[in-house]
Amino acid sequence: MIKCVKCGQVEGIMKAGYVRGKQRYLCKPCNYYFTFAEQDISTTVRLKRKRHQTTIIDIAKTLGVSNSTVSRALHGHADISPETRQAVLDTAAQLDYQPNQLAYNLVKSRTNTIGMIVPEFHNPFFPNVIIGAHEVLTKAGYNLTIMQSNESYQVEISNTKAMLANRVDGLLISLTQETNNFDHLSVFEKRDIPLILFNRVCEQIDVPKVVANDFESAFMAVEHLLLNGYEKVAHLGGPLNLLVSRERLRGYQAAMEKYGKSIEDHMVIQGMLTQQKARIYGQYLLDLAERPDAIFAVNDSAAIEIMLIAKEKGIRIPEELGVVGFSDNPESAYIGPGLTTIRQPTLEMGRTTAEWILQLVDAENISLHERKVLKTELIVRGSSVRSR
């Protein structure tokens, strides 16, 4: 408890800064400023020091060596003796030294940060790709900054600008359903910042790409339906501005052609596949006078929506309607009767994109025309197998 040295009161005493290293007080009742001659100045210094982040200069002063000696010791230079380096490390630990990584990275023209932009988080596909990329990047000493474009072209542009402002060393991106113009990505090439496209890619930009074998996967899915006795297979696809949608459409068409099945225009729907749109399109297909007896959907979410609509209409799966999706979302195994789907190597896709971006950042020899096509797997469940 502080007592005023003039009036003796203890109420209304306030701290009023420092004078010559001593705490000054103000007694409000008598408006008198005072300090204590016997105050422990070391306490005040310690209070002040809490606000000061230890620097290389502090370590150098403590050891009586130059700033450059401390810097070289901290970064493991060979010209520093083991004894000096250990002394620097010990002193750094005692003073709670934390390196200014931002300043160091700016000197080296690096931030050790890789950016990643994904269209959405609702689908487990992208979180799993992120996990694979994060695993590789953290082992290499890099941070991963993740942004979501929310299937919006304008948000995607904003995200790329934010990545540039934060000086990422490289960018991994999967495009939105709306993306038709790629000028915002060309900026990275102009600034010599490595860029890799994955899953949803475009051919207009000459950068490495990591994709699944969408054509073969779609062919495999539709062939499976045809071999199980389905005759009228419809396709609910994604927007045609996306290469992934066009490749899955090609696979559907190739399988139908191989097995001599005609493709009717009204049995093929391409568009933005939100849950609401998937319900509208699914409702349309199942309300046709001559409805399809099987549907291959561009993703599991759309396929599950079709199964729900079919159940509402009393259409039996798989007896009257076969359904195959794409991605193998966790819920696909649990919805009755279980959704047949294409399983994608999401972790491998994340790891590959991360390994490639690190090679580009380190200026290793990797062709901009490089394209990695990952194999998928058909997971057969009850939605597509009917007894004959």
Side-chain angles (χ1 to χ4, degrees):
M1 186 175 293
I2 305 298
K3 182 186 295 186
C4 177
V5 298
K6 181 179 180 183
C7 68
Q9 293 207 43
V10 295
E11 299 293 335
I13 306 297
M14 299 177 59
K15 291 182 178 180
Y18 291 90
V19 176
R20 299 183 183 88
K22 299 178 182 179
Q23 178 69 61
R24 183 171 69 161
Y25 299 94
L26 167 65
C27 175
K28 293 191 73 176
C30 68
N31 196 32
Y32 182 73
Y33 290 90
F34 62 95
T35 61
F36 293 108
E38 67 276 12
Q39 181 181 5
D40 184 0
I41 296 178
S42 64
T43 302
T44 304
V45 172
R46 282 199 302 272
L47 289 171
K48 281 187 173 183
R49 191 169 289 168
K50 286 183 180 179
R51 301 187 185 96
H52 172 68
Q53 183 173 341
T54 301
T55 66
I56 286 175
I57 297 172
D58 298 319
I59 300 172
K61 285 181 178 179
T62 302
L63 291 174
V65 298
S66 68
N67 298 342
S68 60
T69 296
V70 173
S71 179
R72 293 199 304 275
L74 290 172
H75 291 99
H77 282 243
D79 60 345
I80 300 297
S81 69
E83 294 79 11
T84 300
R85 184 171 186 274
Q86 191 59 52
V88 169
L89 293 176
D90 291 344
T91 304
Q94 292 168 9
L95 297 179
D96 193 25
Y97 168 73
Q98 299 296 326
N100 189 333
Q101 193 63 43
L102 177 59
Y104 178 73
N105 288 337
L106 289 176
V107 169
K108 297 292 184 181
S109 297
R110 286 213 187 162
T111 60
N112 273 42
T113 300
I114 300 297
M116 177 180 267
I117 301 175
V118 298
E120 44 94 3
F121 290 139
H122 301 297
N123 187 331
F125 175 90
F126 291 107
N128 283 334
V129 175
I130 290 169
I131 290 170
H134 183 264
E135 173 187 308
V136 171
L137 293 172
T138 52
K139 283 183 180 178
Y142 280 75
N143 298 311
L144 179 62
T145 296
I146 305 159
M147 300 187 79
Q148 177 192 210
S149 54
N150 200 29
E151 295 290 13
S152 165
Y153 170 63
Q154 292 302 325
V155 174
E156 182 176 280
I157 292 175
S158 297
N159 287 348
T160 57
K161 288 180 178 178
M163 292 295 186
L164 288 169
N166 284 282
R167 301 170 64 94
V168 294
D169 294 330
L171 179 66
L172 314 171
I173 183 169
S174 187
L175 304 174
T176 77
Q177 294 188 44
E178 296 182 351
T179 304
N180 282 303
N181 184 291
F182 312 102
D183 291 345
H184 58 298
L185 299 180
S186 299
V187 177
F188 287 83
E189 181 181 10
K190 293 175 184 176
R191 297 195 183 185
D192 200 26
I193 299 173
L195 173 69
I196 291 180
L197 295 175
F198 67 94
N199 185 52
R200 296 186 189 174
V201 305
C202 66
E203 300 296 358
Q204 290 86 338
I205 302 179
D206 200 14
V207 298
K209 301 171 181 72
V210 182
V211 296
N213 58 344
D214 293 295
F215 171 82
E216 292 86 353
S217 301
F219 183 96
M220 184 166 47
V222 177
E223 181 180 55
H224 165 75
L225 287 168
L226 296 172
L227 292 177
N228 272 273
Y230 297 99
E231 298 285 338
K232 296 172 68 68
V233 182
H235 176 47
L236 182 52
L240 287 175
N241 61 295
L242 292 177
L243 181 62
V244 61
S245 301
R246 298 197 299 273
E247 287 296 286
R248 292 177 192 179
L249 173 61
R250 278 204 319 118
Y252 161 78
Q253 293 168 332
M256 294 290 280
E257 182 180 343
K258 177 181 177 180
Y259 288 89
K261 306 299 179 183
S262 61
I263 299 175
E264 301 175 48
D265 290 343
H266 65 282
M267 290 284 194
V268 178
I269 300 176
Q270 305 286 152
M272 299 291 183
L273 279 186
T274 61
Q275 184 177 3
Q276 182 182 12
K277 288 288 182 67
R279 173 157 281 271
I280 292 171
Y281 298 149
Q283 194 85 39
Y284 162 78
L285 288 172
L286 296 183
D287 280 344
L288 289 171
E290 293 187 22
R291 70 172 184 246
D293 62 358
I295 299 176
F296 166 54
V298 73
N299 59 40
D300 281 3
S301 299
I304 289 173
E305 201 62 40
I306 288 167
M307 292 177 70
L308 295 175
I309 295 169
K311 288 180 181 180
E312 293 167 8
K313 294 180 176 295
I315 300 172
R316 294 175 301 150
I317 300 174
E319 292 83 1
E320 297 174 283
L321 180 70
V323 183
V324 176
F326 207 110
S327 284
D328 194 27
N329 294 352
E331 62 268 26
S332 301
Y334 300 107
I335 185 171
L339 175 64
T340 295
T341 185
I342 299 291
R343 177 177 293 163
Q344 299 185 85
T346 50
L347 290 175
E348 184 182 355
M349 182 172 287
R351 292 178 186 130
T352 301
T353 56
E355 288 165 358
W356 277 11
I357 202 74
L358 290 176
Q359 290 179 46
L360 288 173
V361 167
D362 291 335
E364 293 185 20
N365 187 23
I366 175 171
S367 169
L368 295 179
H369 304 288
E370 195 79 42
R371 187 187 194 92
K372 177 79 170 182
V373 181
L374 304 176
K375 290 186 177 181
T376 59
E377 180 184 1
L378 177 67
I379 306 299
V380 178
R381 299 190 181 105
S383 70
S384 63
V385 181
R386 60 183 180 183
S387 55
R388 301 183 185 179

